[in-house]
Amino acid sequence: MAATNFALSPPAKTVDGLLAVPVDIQSIAAVFTFDGAVSAASADATITYTVGPTAGNPIFDLRQSITQAWIDGTAFPIAQMAHHSFGTDTYTDLRVVQSIQAAGSVHTLRVQYALAAPDSQMGGSYLPAIEWSAGPKLRFVFGLSDLNRARYAEAWLPVNLIFDQYSIDLEISIINTAAAHSVITNGTATVLGVNHWSIVFPDHFTALSPLLEVRASDTLVSQNGSVVLPVSGKNVVIEAWKPVLSGVDLAAQINNVKNLLTQNENDYGAYMHDGRFTVFFNGTGGMEYEGGTTVSTGALAHETFHSWFARCVKPAGQADGWWDEGFTTFHDSGADDAVALDFTDPPVLLCSRDPWQRNTPSNSYSDGGNLWMGLASLLGVANLNTFMKQFYDTYKNDPVSTQMIEEFLLCRSGNARVVDTFHRFVYGFADPSLAPDLWIKDDPTDPGADAWAGAFWDSPDLWIRNSDDGGLTHQSPEYGQDNWFHARVHNKAGRGNASHFVVTFHARGWAGTEFVYPDDFLPCTAARGEFNLAPGETQIVKAKWPRAAVPHAGTHTCMLASVIARSDAPVAHRHVWEHNNLAQKNLTVVDLRPDMFIIVPVVIRNSYPEFGKKFDLEMWKPQSATEIHVSILHRSKEFFSQARVEVREFRLPKESGYPPDQLRLDCGGMMPGIQAASPRDIMTTDRPDLILRRFAKSWEVQMARGTKPKLACEIPPFSQIVIGVKVVVGPRMKPGETVKLHVVQRNCATKQVTGGIAVQVNVI
């Protein structure tokens, strides 16, 4: 099934009084009939599509003259699906269907038209063509182009912009001719009869993917070869073609293709194009397709590499077309040049903010290549190539935006200067004359200053949702599925506009008190780049937390966030309470019955020697929470030596039951029973097996009653200690009650709160 990529689509836009909305095409079925008797051709095409999240008038493109149309089987006036201008350049218009359709609704659109030279920008060395010669013989060329507008599959078929993926089932027949013809394609071609084929393109294709040429067989020469690739193990058939008068040595070029495919697999990962590579040596230029190319011999290495970057991992929009050409240029030069970027050079625009752009920027090769050399200098050549190999493995067969590349490199490298680099040399922004001041609230009363003396470990501007539903309240992470990070970012009034910024999200696999930038924040779990946050405004930023990175349900995760912009980034070695670009949410939400308890493992740290080693652990709770009792656990009795309080051995209550029996293995080891082998629960009264795994033979100190009792402890510099925070719900608490309490770490010498966690108990 074709992917749904509305997150990558342009936004709805009002054009000529019509609310034009993107659609998701699932499939295209088309019939092309070429008639040699009259040297003409006709097309009948049907698309099946789903309207996006906004109701309105669907958009698509076709650069042919429609003669008849039907929507959902009912005739529709062709004048009401005319082209309307979306961009400022020529050939940036799109067809808008003047029928308001409901969000999420599914429809079919059928169109008939005569096939002729498309109304597209006719530049480049190899043009689309539909020509007849004596015989009669047909020469039909899709002739796709990156650098010229409206030159993807919209030249011949009703398709979407290149964010969308769908299958294409194309039937081709040539009638009224005795001349045999052949098809050159990266689709799966099945012969249905004489000069009659079915060609199927897979559902991960976009409008930039299909290669198709139809020519008289006696004008072509073909030869096949094959190679078993080293990473995927695939046996790839190489189908090579050339015009009959061409001097290209197909056997030699097939060997070149074998070597290139092998090298590219070794460098970046598995070849993804159904065990075939189609190459047509047309004698001029070069154009990439998925698992294929039309090419001159000199461009073969460049175009073959594009079957990894450009036509496997694909640009999501034509404003994103710079990155694959720039990276391929970097690869053409050996992928080993590291040339530092000079930030006194003028800004370079590679990726515009125009979602309706219809061509790849012409400076993608030069400035784009320089950008990748600059990233190699910043991150290291070997590191950059490793990151791009990981990037390919993550997004193979998918469209990718420029923001996604920036986010990926920032997440993996942990180098905040990636943001500076993209700001100036990709998005083309100059340094702001007045810097923005971006910030995230530490608590509801935080005014946005760098230093904050109040609670900071449960930011109201950070939350997690279990689905991408737009919710504004925090949910505990749900294991086994994607979750979504959210941050509410502010820009102070009276400061500069944030033309571009990135929010990083990191989920520590444990709850802790003290976190320091950048070591605890970068590399990060996810990031999201955004644009144009004006002074005095607020923007909610979200990023997907992939399910593979979501820890199991027994984990008490701390969420950390940072905001990074050119001229406004966090300062190294600062805590959350020392910089307004940093925030954390150290909140555990748990449902407990009366007389139940939870144990939350917490890491308490001392990162700096100037703090000394003496700390107080404070417990803050509302005055009304008299039935909530808190104690601290540790495996060593010595941990409590500074507290001068009663220390008792921690024991599970008898009603908790016993852990499951252990299983003896043939190798002589022991493993827990079936229940304990899958720790999908937090440590509560109901899971003694999990408690004993973490806190067997531990010691316990009951925190004094009151709203802010404290417990003295020592944490040596540059050390961390794991404690258990045990929260007990008293028997008189009533279902429906909710209590939030905080366990806080305070330095005794400075009186500074250096961290804390929050626990929200919902009584069930």
Side-chain angles (χ1 to χ4, degrees):
M1 180 179 178
T4 299
N5 299 326
F6 284 123
L8 298 172
S9 71
K13 179 177 181 176
T14 299
V15 179
D16 299 329
L18 303 170
L19 181 59
V21 298
V23 302
D24 174 75
I25 297 175
Q26 281 85 53
S27 62
I28 302 174
V31 177
F32 287 179
T33 302
F34 299 89
D35 189 343
V38 293
S39 299
S42 62
D44 190 329
T46 299
I47 64 173
T48 301
Y49 65 90
T50 302
V51 180
T54 303
N57 300 275
I59 56 178
F60 72 102
D61 201 13
L62 171 63
R63 313 305 296 191
Q64 301 284 328
S65 296
I66 298 173
T67 55
Q68 286 185 285
W70 297 262
I71 292 181
D72 299 330
T74 301
F76 192 84
I78 60 174
Q80 294 183 26
M81 55 178 62
H83 277 99
H84 295 259
S85 179
F86 279 74
T88 57
D89 293 310
T90 57
Y91 302 105
T92 56
D93 46 347
L94 293 164
R95 292 183 181 271
V96 182
V97 178
Q98 295 185 42
S99 172
I100 297 177
Q101 297 177 346
S105 58
V106 179
H107 304 272
T108 59
L109 168 63
R110 179 186 178 193
V111 290
Q112 292 181 341
Y113 48 98
L115 280 172
D119 180 24
S120 304
Q121 186 179 22
M122 290 298 180
S125 60
Y126 195 56
L127 301 179
I130 178 168
E131 300 171 348
W132 295 91
S133 59
K137 297 178 181 179
L138 172 67
R139 176 177 174 263
F140 177 59
V141 179
F142 256 31
L144 273 53
S145 172
D146 290 320
L147 297 175
N148 297 279
R149 301 183 194 98
R151 281 281 298 280
Y152 288 143
E154 64 266 21
W156 305 106
L157 288 164
V159 298
N160 214 336
L161 296 176
I162 60 174
F163 74 89
D164 195 12
Q165 297 173 274
Y166 37 80
S167 62
I168 304 173
D169 192 337
L170 178 59
E171 183 180 342
I172 294 177
S173 63
I174 309 172
I175 62 174
N176 296 322
T177 179
H181 287 73
S182 299
V183 293
I184 302 171
T185 184
N186 61 345
T188 300
T190 302
V191 176
L192 302 179
V194 177
N195 287 337
H196 189 192
W197 304 267
S198 166
I199 303 172
V200 176
F201 301 96
D203 62 9
H204 57 77
F205 270 35
T206 77
L208 51 66
S209 302
L211 164 62
L212 179 63
E213 305 221 0
V214 183
R215 294 175 178 242
S217 299
D218 62 5
T219 67
L220 297 169
V221 175
S222 67
Q223 187 172 333
N224 288 355
S226 65
V227 60
V228 177
L229 295 182
V231 175
S232 64
K234 288 181 180 176
N235 181 38
V236 176
V237 175
I238 301 165
E239 187 178 299
W241 298 80
K242 69 174 183 176
V244 70
L245 298 179
S246 169
V248 171
D249 183 340
L250 289 183
Q253 295 304 322
I254 287 172
N255 282 332
N256 286 340
V257 172
K258 291 179 183 180
N259 292 332
L260 292 168
L261 295 177
T262 298
Q263 176 184 327
N264 293 341
E265 255 214 0
N266 279 329
D267 288 346
Y268 292 102
Y271 181 76
M272 298 301 297
H273 303 291
D274 296 331
R276 316 176 43 218
F277 186 83
T278 302
V279 53
F280 178 39
F281 292 96
N282 63 343
T284 181
M287 183 62 197
E288 66 271 16
Y289 300 86
E290 295 207 25
T293 178
T294 57
V295 70
S296 59
T297 55
L300 181 61
H302 180 99
E303 303 302 345
T304 303
F305 186 72
H306 273 318
S307 275
W308 275 257
F309 292 92
R311 297 301 182 265
C312 184
V313 181
K314 300 176 270 281
Q318 289 196 249
D320 303 308
W322 72 272
W323 64 256
D324 64 80
E325 293 298 354
F327 189 66
T328 301
T329 300
F330 173 71
H331 177 266
D332 290 345
S333 299
D336 56 3
D337 290 330
V339 180
L341 295 165
D342 187 336
F343 276 75
T344 66
D345 287 342
V348 174
L349 178 61
L350 284 166
C351 179
S352 77
R353 303 306 309 144
D354 179 8
W356 312 105
Q357 182 173 319
R358 297 293 290 277
N359 65 323
T360 293
S362 59
N363 64 333
S364 299
Y365 306 87
S366 55
D367 291 329
N370 291 339
L371 183 281
W372 287 104
M373 289 190 290
L375 288 169
S377 174
L378 177 65
L379 306 178
V381 170
N383 288 336
L384 177 61
N385 285 311
T386 296
F387 296 148
M388 291 306 291
K389 182 176 182 178
Q390 295 168 346
F391 183 79
Y392 174 82
D393 184 62
T394 301
Y395 292 110
K396 52 184 179 283
N397 284 335
D398 291 339
V400 166
S401 69
T402 298
Q403 288 167 258
M404 292 166 68
I405 295 177
E406 177 188 21
E407 294 155 4
F408 188 91
L409 292 177
L410 174 61
C411 285
R412 293 302 174 101
S413 71
N415 192 324
R417 286 185 292 164
V418 168
V419 178
D420 292 340
T421 302
F422 274 72
H423 178 97
R424 190 173 188 87
F425 296 108
V426 175
Y427 303 121
F429 296 126
D431 291 347
S433 56
L434 180 62
D437 189 351
L438 304 180
W439 59 287
I440 302 173
K441 285 186 177 182
D442 286 331
D443 79 7
T445 61
D446 180 7
D450 276 329
W452 178 241
F456 56 82
W457 48 87
D458 183 17
S459 169
D461 282 346
L462 298 182
W463 66 97
I464 291 167
R465 299 296 294 176
N466 303 143
S467 61
D468 189 13
D469 59 3
L472 301 177
T473 58
H474 177 70
Q475 296 176 322
S476 294
E478 190 70 32
Y479 174 69
Q481 65 176 52
D482 294 336
N483 288 253
W484 274 261
F485 295 112
H486 291 75
R488 186 182 291 107
V489 182
H490 310 261
N491 189 6
K492 283 188 179 176
R495 300 304 297 266
N497 180 64
S499 53
H500 162 240
F501 64 96
V502 180
V503 179
T504 72
F505 300 95
H506 196 32
R508 309 300 296 186
W510 37 271
T513 54
E514 183 184 339
F515 296 98
V516 180
Y517 183 86
D519 291 355
D520 290 314
F521 291 76
L522 297 172
C524 53
T525 307
R528 177 66 182 179
E530 291 292 354
F531 301 87
N532 294 323
L533 182 55
E537 292 190 352
T538 299
Q539 184 172 342
I540 293 175
V541 177
K542 65 180 178 181
K544 184 168 78 172
W545 187 1
R547 66 177 182 177
V550 178
H552 65 73
T555 304
H556 302 272
T557 296
C558 178
M559 176 181 172
L560 303 175
S562 68
V563 187
I564 303 170
R566 180 72 176 160
S567 305
D568 184 33
V571 176
H573 311 305
R574 296 286 177 88
H575 299 79
V576 170
W577 41 271
E578 294 176 305
H579 206 289
N580 65 0
N581 290 57
L582 304 174
Q584 70 184 75
K585 194 170 198 74
N586 230 345
L587 173 64
T588 296
V589 181
V590 62
D591 296 333
L592 295 177
R593 301 185 304 273
D595 274 336
M596 282 188 69
F597 66 79
I598 179 177
I599 298 177
V600 180
V602 178
V603 177
I604 55 177
R605 299 167 71 179
N606 181 7
S607 300
Y608 297 103
E610 59 266 29
F611 279 176
K613 62 180 181 179
K614 293 185 180 298
F615 291 84
D616 283 331
L617 298 179
E618 301 177 359
M619 192 271 291
W620 301 354
K621 67 176 182 177
Q623 290 183 344
S624 59
T626 57
E627 284 293 298
I628 294 287
H629 310 293
V630 178
S631 58
I632 303 298
L633 307 180
H634 193 264
R635 288 190 291 270
S636 171
K637 190 175 183 180
E638 291 300 313
F639 173 76
F640 301 105
S641 61
Q642 301 296 313
R644 299 178 182 176
V645 293
E646 179 186 356
V647 183
R648 62 174 183 260
E649 188 176 354
F650 168 66
R651 294 180 182 276
L652 286 171
K654 292 181 179 180
E655 58 268 24
S656 296
Y658 297 93
D661 292 337
Q662 290 185 320
L663 304 178
R664 180 172 295 279
L665 306 179
D666 290 338
C667 62
M670 301 289 290
M671 66 177 293
I674 296 173
Q675 181 186 6
S678 300
R680 307 294 284 271
D681 293 325
I682 56 179
M683 286 187 286
T684 66
T685 316
D686 294 337
R687 290 305 303 266
D689 54 313
L690 298 181
I691 295 172
L692 291 179
R693 182 184 299 182
R694 293 294 301 273
F695 291 102
K697 299 180 180 179
S698 292
W699 298 87
E700 179 178 6
V701 164
Q702 178 82 40
M703 297 291 283
R705 298 185 183 276
T707 57
K708 283 192 177 181
K710 61 183 180 181
L711 180 73
C713 66
E714 289 188 352
I715 311 173
F718 306 113
S719 296
Q720 66 180 37
I721 294 173
V722 180
I723 62 172
V725 176
K726 178 183 172 186
V727 181
V728 183
V729 178
R732 290 194 292 271
M733 290 202 71
K734 298 178 181 179
E737 289 188 77
T738 294
V739 175
K740 182 183 286 188
L741 55 90
H742 304 266
V743 178
V744 179
Q745 177 182 337
R746 188 188 298 273
N747 180 259
C748 293
T750 66
K751 305 304 180 184
Q752 173 66 54
V753 172
T754 60
I757 70 158
V759 179
Q760 178 176 311
V761 177
N762 303 322
V763 183
I764 60 173

